[in-house]
Amino acid sequence: MQFDNCVQVIVFVRLNVQSPATNLPKTRTRINRPTIAHPLTNSIHPQEGTHAVLFIILKLIHLISIVIWVGGMFFAHFFLRPALQELEAPVRVKLMRDVLGRFFSVVLILVLLVLLSGIGLIGAVHGMAAKAGAQFTMPLSWIVMSVLGLIMMAVFGHIRFALYKRLNNAVEANDWAAGGAALGSIRKWVAFNLALGLVIIAAMRFPLG
């Protein structure tokens, strides 16, 4: 196609159209959430709620108490008792009376800490579930640990207030045969409690259901 006597004008029009919104300065909305010091590291983390912080503290107390209790039984049963077998009966029985007396005094405190922190953990989780509008159902692992833990506490009560009293009376009367018999009974029940404690630790590490 030919175009005679026509002036072809090519006009380049550059439209620089900007939306009014793009001319506005960019702003970022920042939500200032309350912060708290983390109970373990003292660093600042977003507020997770009172129940969550309480759960962390109680769980730490619970775990440390169980580890000290079970670890003490493991040491006494597998290391201390065999090492003292070469001693004469009067020395061995009296030494075990003194060692167990100190250990049982600490375990009394640990039992209270385990019991109270366990109840607190259940309450804290129940509170978090209620706050989220959910229904709390205790996990199977928690049920197993609770039942075994109560059995351990009952067994320890028998050891501390019955068998250890028998051991102490035998030492005071210089009746080393009776003291040895009391130690034998304590050893059996400590072994039973140790087995339960190891099952509880396994349930903590490998949750059931």
Side-chain angles (χ1 to χ4, degrees), residues 140-195:
L140 179 59
S141 296
W142 286 30
I143 297 176
V144 171
M145 288 187 290
S146 299
V147 173
L148 295 183
L150 292 175
I151 295 175
M152 286 184 64
M153 294 175 190
V155 170
F156 171 73
H158 174 64
I159 294 173
R160 174 61 183 84
F161 298 106
L163 300 181
Y164 180 76
K165 184 178 180 180
R166 190 183 307 169
L167 170 63
N168 188 60
N169 291 337
V171 172
E172 295 298 328
N174 294 328
D175 188 349
W176 310 119
L183 277 176
S185 298
I186 291 175
R187 177 181 60 82
K188 293 177 182 178
W189 283 109
V190 167
F192 177 76
N193 251 8
L194 176 59

Side-chain angles (χ1 to χ4, degrees), residues 26-91:
K26 295 182 179 180
T27 60
R28 296 178 62 183
T29 303
R30 184 176 181 179
I31 301 176
N32 294 323
R33 293 183 293 179
T35 58
I36 60 171
H38 195 280
L40 302 182
T41 62
N42 290 327
S43 57
I44 302 300
H45 292 276
Q47 173 66 276
E48 295 177 339
T50 304
H51 293 294
V53 176
L54 180 62
F55 180 85
I56 294 174
I57 297 174
L58 290 176
K59 185 176 181 180
L60 182 63
I61 295 174
H62 200 72
L63 293 177
I64 291 177
S65 300
I66 292 175
V67 168
I68 295 176
W69 184 6
V70 175
M73 290 190 294
F74 191 91
F75 171 78
H77 189 75
F78 288 104
F79 298 98
L80 179 61
R81 185 186 63 83
L84 299 181
Q85 293 302 310
E86 297 181 358
L87 298 178
E88 296 182 357
V91 178

